[in-house]
Amino acid sequence: MNFYPFHVGDYKSHTDHLTPKEDICYRRLLDHYYLHESPIANDMPAVARHIKMRDSEEVIKAILVEFFELRGEYWHSSRADREIAAYASKSEKARKSAGSRWGNANALRTHCEGIATVECDGIATNTITNTNIKATTTRKKFVRPKAQEVADYARSIGFELDGEQFVAYYQTRGWKVGKDMMVDWQSAVVTWKKNNKDSTPTIDFVKEV
């Protein structure tokens, strides 16, 4: 832990009787305890070296006896143990929360990668699929008509049109209507009908919209 709560009033009320050296010893023992998040080993020379008080083993032992509890081979501070446990619990919750966020981000990325476009029988289909949602949208893929198809459709709407003339006209223009690619040739036939009152129009009189 790089931080631990320090209650000045509580500390002062329990340590007013300590000498400056004893006070420094106690503070260093607490710092060591929290920094390593573990109790202090019952090894006076090693402890003295860790807290940089090699010539004060007797002082260190006196402080440990007064403020800590020896359990097996380690000196424990009940309050420090509670603070460390609370810190570990908070850190674990934060780790799980971060893991959940990253998991959702990866799921979204996988979901986006699952968007595929396929073509089948002239139909381009965009399909988005996940566990809970399945949505399919379709759009027609433009297929160039044959001359006879054009003539037959024109006749079905009461319009005599030379299908070969229609196909040749748009073929020379790259099947564009104005600046845009044609998406529906039947609509183009209807436009020809509206723009041509004569039942046998010629290319020169065709007007596009």
Side-chain angles (χ1 to χ4, degrees):
M1 295 174 61
N2 295 319
F3 165 84
Y4 64 88
F6 182 73
H7 302 278
V8 178
D10 289 347
Y11 181 84
K12 189 173 186 303
S13 66
H14 287 86
T15 61
D16 262 352
H17 62 288
L18 298 180
T19 66
K21 189 172 187 177
E22 290 172 334
D23 183 74
I24 292 172
C25 176
Y26 186 25
R27 286 302 306 274
R28 290 186 180 182
L29 287 171
L30 286 175
D31 288 347
H32 184 274
Y33 203 114
Y34 282 109
L35 181 62
H36 295 281
E37 298 179 27
S38 62
I40 297 171
N42 187 28
D43 182 346
M44 292 306 109
V47 174
R49 179 169 56 83
H50 286 313
I51 67 172
K52 298 180 180 180
M53 296 184 71
R54 289 182 174 84
D55 60 346
S56 306
E57 289 186 24
E58 290 301 319
V59 173
I60 294 171
K61 186 172 182 179
I63 294 298
L64 287 170
V65 170
E66 182 174 357
F67 295 100
F68 295 79
E69 177 184 355
L70 183 61
R71 302 175 193 169
E73 297 298 320
Y74 295 91
W75 292 93
H76 283 262
S77 165
S78 297
R79 182 166 190 167
D81 287 341
R82 289 195 301 271
E83 294 291 352
I84 291 170
Y87 171 80
S89 176
K90 185 177 181 180
S91 296
E92 178 64 14
K93 289 179 181 179
R95 185 189 66 78
K96 289 182 177 180
S97 177
S100 177
R101 288 196 298 272
W102 279 108
N104 291 336
N106 289 332
L108 178 60
R109 179 172 59 103
T110 301
H111 166 69
C112 292
E113 289 173 349
I115 299 176
T117 301
V118 296
E119 290 188 5
C120 181
D121 297 330
I123 301 296
T125 304
N126 292 328
T127 303
I128 303 174
T129 306
N130 64 19
T131 305
N132 302 316
I133 302 173
K134 185 175 182 179
T136 302
T137 59
T138 61
R139 60 178 174 80
K140 284 186 177 181
K141 178 183 178 182
F142 177 71
V143 178
R144 298 174 183 178
K146 296 179 180 179
Q148 189 59 49
E149 290 179 304
V150 173
D152 290 343
Y153 177 74
R155 193 173 296 109
S156 72
I157 61 173
F159 179 46
E160 289 298 326
L161 176 62
D162 186 334
E164 292 183 359
Q165 185 184 60
F166 179 93
V167 171
Y169 177 80
Y170 284 109
Q171 186 72 39
T172 60
R173 287 159 176 73
W175 290 95
K176 289 185 177 181
V177 179
K179 295 182 179 180
D180 300 321
M181 292 298 298
M182 181 179 289
V183 295
D184 186 352
W185 64 264
Q186 289 96 335
S187 295
V189 173
V190 173
T191 299
W192 277 43
K193 179 183 178 182
K194 290 180 179 179
N195 291 336
N196 292 270
K197 296 181 180 180
D198 192 307
S199 61
T200 56
T202 63
I203 290 178
D204 293 336
F205 293 98
V206 173
K207 298 179 182 178
E208 295 186 53
V209 294

